[in-house]
């Protein structure tokens, strides 16, 4: 019988923790280790928890103080640059087996592979090929992996997330029939990809607690509640997924943006947070010049520090933080798309001054450049009053700054404001994704 399970989803087990174990010559599956920044407080989040600690009840992404005091474990400081290097090495292992056109990198530790075109080439079934690729990853890098195999991309992901992680050999297989047979009554719904707590609550309000109930429910109320997203929900309830690897490869977003965000180490005053927002806008402006792009607008968002009453209300409501968090936001549209640092930072200052409360402390910040286009894009409205020569001088100056930072490190050139005690640019220049890069 023809093997219809052709999509593989591979997840590297507790990836950051496994890399730290392998680099120390330790077994990733038996060593008790967490990846967390020891320079921060015990409230800091563990970026990864090794499988053996998970087996002892330590949940993933917990805070350090939540680890039971009676457990002995190693703590490794995050090294994001090393994890990116190792992820690229593992991608190289995948390329030994399949073409890059048949791989979709979903995250630093997870990838989809269309193994269908290779089953006849290797004379293997889908599971055999999946096991061979997984064994090659372990042999070349020492990093263990969990695999899901499905007849479409969605079922491969569910086979990974639900079936494999409950299997003694960490390998799961699903097709439409076995999905309905084994998982239509599975709870909770949040175990399924794309079903978050908010969607689960809305479905529960309609009397729907399982995928089977969703599949068999009248469709009109579902579309009324979820709009176009109902189609995805209903397809997934039946184990269907029309998207193929070629669709993913062909996708091009209609709009582009650049964004940066951070959670501050403490509550900042209005003036302190304004300094940080300018640093963030400055960094984004430099990225624009490096990429040869311009932006149409700048957006600033702030999340305020919570009072004890607000924090208690959020816990009681069960809302995710971005819905219940008191915040303000605003945007400023440039006369014409620009990569000018001065225009971008001035725009961010203007939004901050107009929209951010001077009374409330700021705890979260994000700055986004919207409407990002190529510098030489056709049909762009120009600013007739712009000083073209001044803008070109500034662009060349920014390129020189970028070249120095590229050669000598991001902290080799700093602005005076970056030396203020409330500034965060120097510290963030040593991070990747908000976590320590592991490089000095």
């Amino acid at each position: 019988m023809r093997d219809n399970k052709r999509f593989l989803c591979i997840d590297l087990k507790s990836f950051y923790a496994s890399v730290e174990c392998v680099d120390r010559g330790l077994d990733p599956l038996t060593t008790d280790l967490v990846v967390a920044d020891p320079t921060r407080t015990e409230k800091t989040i563990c970026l990864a928890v090794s499988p053996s600690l998970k087996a002892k009840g330590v949940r993933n992404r917990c805070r350090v103080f939540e680890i039971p005091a009676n457990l002995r474990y190693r703590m490794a400081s995050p090294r994001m640059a090393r994890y990116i290097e190792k992820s690229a090495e593992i991608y190289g292992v995948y390329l030994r087996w399949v073409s890059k056109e048949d791989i979709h990198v979903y995250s630093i530790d997870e990838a989809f592979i269309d193994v269908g075109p290779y089953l006849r080439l290797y004379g293997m079934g889908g599971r055999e090929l999946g096991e061979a690729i997984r064994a090659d990853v372990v042999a070349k890098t020492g990093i263990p992996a969990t695999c899901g195999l499905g007849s479409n991309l969605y079922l491969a992901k569910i086979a990974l997330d639900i079936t494999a992680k409950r299997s003694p050999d960490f390998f799961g297989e699903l097709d439409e029939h076995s999905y309905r047979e084994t998982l239509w009554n599975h709870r909770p719904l949040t175990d399924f990809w794309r079903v978050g707590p908010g969607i689960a609550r809305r479905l529960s309000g309609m009397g729907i607690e399982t995928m089977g109930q969703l599949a068999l429910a009248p469709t009109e109320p579902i579309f009324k509640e979820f709009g176009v997203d109902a189609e995805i929900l209903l397809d997934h309830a039946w184990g269907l997924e029309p998207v193929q690897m070629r669709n993913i490869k062909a996708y091009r977003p209609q709009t582009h943006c650049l964004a940066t965000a951070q959670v501050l180490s403490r509550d900042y005053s209005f003036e302190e947070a304004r300094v940080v927002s300018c640093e963030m806008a400055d960094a984004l402006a430099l990225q624009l010049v490096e990429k040869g792009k311009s932006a149409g607008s700048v957006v600033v968002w702030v999340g305020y520090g919570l009072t004890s009453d607000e924090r208690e209300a959020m816990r009681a409501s069960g809302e995710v933080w971005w819905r219940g968090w008191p915040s303000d936001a605003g945007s400023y549209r440039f006369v014409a798309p620009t990569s000018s640092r001065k225009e971008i930072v001035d725009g961010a200052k203007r939004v901050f001054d107009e929209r951010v409360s001077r009374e409330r402390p700021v705890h979260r910040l994000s700055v986004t450049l919207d409407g990002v286009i190529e510098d030489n894009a056709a049909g762009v409205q120009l600013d007739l009053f712009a000083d073209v020569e001044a803008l070109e001088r500034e662009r060349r100056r920014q390129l020189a700054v970028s070249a120095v930072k590229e050669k000598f490190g991001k902290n080799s050139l700093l602005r005076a404001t970056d030396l203020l005690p409330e500034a965060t640019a120097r510290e963030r220049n040593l991070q990747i994704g908000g976590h320590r890069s592991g490089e000095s």
Side-chain angles (χ1 to χ4, degrees):
M1 189 171 99
R2 186 175 68 88
D3 190 342
N4 71 333
K5 286 174 269 191
R6 56 176 292 169
F7 293 98
L8 187 69
C9 189
I10 302 182
D11 175 62
L12 307 171
K13 290 179 66 63
S14 301
F15 179 51
Y16 300 163
S18 293
V19 172
E20 295 297 342
C21 289
V22 170
D23 283 357
R24 289 164 170 76
L26 304 171
D27 185 341
L29 296 177
T30 60
T31 302
D32 291 344
L33 182 144
V34 299
V35 178
D37 190 344
T39 65
R40 298 184 180 181
T41 68
E42 286 196 336
K43 293 182 180 179
T44 190
I45 291 176
C46 298
L47 298 186
V49 175
S50 65
S52 60
L53 269 182
K54 289 181 183 177
K56 294 172 183 175
V58 180
R59 63 182 178 84
N60 200 28
R61 304 287 291 178
C62 69
R63 298 185 184 274
V64 171
F65 74 84
E66 294 176 316
I67 301 174
N70 63 311
L71 291 181
R72 295 174 61 86
Y73 59 88
R74 299 169 185 260
M75 180 180 290
S77 184
R79 297 185 297 157
M80 299 304 296
R82 175 59 176 156
Y83 308 147
I84 293 172
E85 176 188 352
K86 203 70 173 179
S87 181
E89 182 183 343
I90 292 168
Y91 181 74
V93 176
Y94 299 154
L95 290 175
R96 290 165 51 89
W97 293 88
V98 301
S99 167
K100 66 179 182 180
E101 285 76 21
D102 295 308
I103 306 172
H104 172 56
V105 177
Y106 187 64
S107 67
I108 193 172
D109 62 350
E110 195 168 327
F112 289 92
I113 302 176
D114 183 355
V115 296
Y118 304 91
L119 302 183
R120 189 172 179 180
L121 172 66
Y122 292 114
M124 298 180 181
R127 178 167 188 135
E128 289 177 285
L129 184 51
E131 291 280 20
I133 295 173
R134 177 167 71 166
D136 201 15
V137 170
V138 175
K140 298 292 190 304
T141 69
I143 305 298
T146 303
C147 292
L149 185 68
S151 51
N152 59 49
L153 290 165
Y154 170 71
L155 290 180
K157 175 68 172 165
I158 298 304
L160 171 76
D161 288 345
I162 301 179
T163 309
K165 292 180 179 179
R166 290 166 171 78
S167 171
D169 61 0
F170 303 111
F171 203 112
E173 297 182 63
L174 286 174
D175 57 19
E176 287 87 344
H177 176 75
S178 60
Y179 172 77
R180 298 166 197 171
E181 188 76 20
T182 61
L183 294 180
W184 257 16
N185 292 319
H186 177 88
R187 301 186 187 204
L189 271 173
T190 49
D191 282 350
F192 292 86
W193 185 64
R194 284 185 57 90
V195 180
I199 290 177
R201 279 197 298 273
R202 290 160 71 184
L203 288 171
S204 180
M206 304 170 72
I208 297 172
E209 304 289 347
T210 67
M211 279 296 183
Q213 292 172 351
L214 175 58
L216 301 175
T219 59
E220 186 176 342
I222 306 296
F223 275 93
K224 185 176 180 181
E225 176 68 24
F226 295 99
V228 294
D229 288 342
E231 188 172 347
I232 299 174
L233 282 172
L234 291 170
D235 275 352
H236 287 177
W238 286 97
L240 304 176
E241 177 53 72
V243 174
Q244 299 290 319
M245 190 68 74
R246 65 178 180 274
N247 303 122
I248 296 174
K249 295 296 184 179
Y251 174 74
R252 298 292 181 272
Q254 293 182 340
T255 59
H256 298 267
C257 69
L258 287 176
T260 181
Q262 60 179 297
V263 180
L264 301 169
S265 59
R266 56 176 174 80
D267 286 348
Y268 272 41
S269 69
F270 175 89
E271 291 77 14
E272 291 174 324
R274 190 174 185 270
V275 169
V276 177
S277 70
C278 291
E279 284 186 314
M280 296 164 73
D282 186 9
L284 289 178
L286 187 60
Q287 286 185 46
L288 277 182
V289 173
E290 292 170 344
K291 296 173 183 290
K293 298 180 184 294
S294 298
S297 63
V298 59
V299 181
V300 177
W301 176 92
V302 300
Y304 298 113
L306 295 175
T307 65
S308 56
D309 290 343
E310 287 169 335
R311 196 175 297 277
E312 186 59 38
M314 278 187 68
R315 289 198 192 98
S317 69
E319 284 285 0
V320 287
W321 70 264
W322 59 83
R323 289 184 181 168
W325 205 282
S327 62
D328 275 315
S331 64
Y332 176 77
R333 180 169 293 279
F334 306 117
V335 175
T338 184
S339 60
S340 164
R341 175 198 173 271
K342 183 179 186 307
E343 291 185 26
I344 290 169
V345 173
D346 286 350
K349 288 178 181 177
R350 179 170 177 172
V351 175
F352 201 92
D353 292 344
E354 290 178 355
R355 302 303 299 269
V356 177
S357 169
R358 284 167 168 75
E359 283 72 43
R360 297 203 63 159
V362 175
H363 196 70
R364 298 172 185 262
L365 271 171
S366 76
V367 178
T368 302
L369 297 181
D370 258 338
V372 174
I373 59 173
E374 298 291 337
D375 279 340
N376 57 356
V380 177
Q381 178 69 45
L382 301 178
D383 181 0
L384 298 178
F385 301 100
D387 187 336
V388 177
E389 291 184 0
L391 290 174
E392 178 58 22
R393 285 196 300 272
E394 183 183 2
R395 189 186 72 83
R396 290 199 301 266
R397 187 164 56 247
Q398 288 285 80
L399 286 173
V401 168
S402 177
V404 172
K405 287 175 176 281
E406 177 68 24
K407 185 172 183 178
F408 299 105
K410 291 183 178 180
N411 281 335
S412 58
L413 276 181
L414 296 169
R415 297 185 181 277
T417 53
D418 297 334
L419 302 176
L420 294 172
E422 64 267 24
T424 63
R426 283 179 298 164
E427 180 182 356
R428 287 176 64 81
N429 283 341
L430 299 176
Q431 298 177 348
I432 297 175
H435 305 293
R436 289 182 179 272
S437 67
E439 299 176 332
S440 58

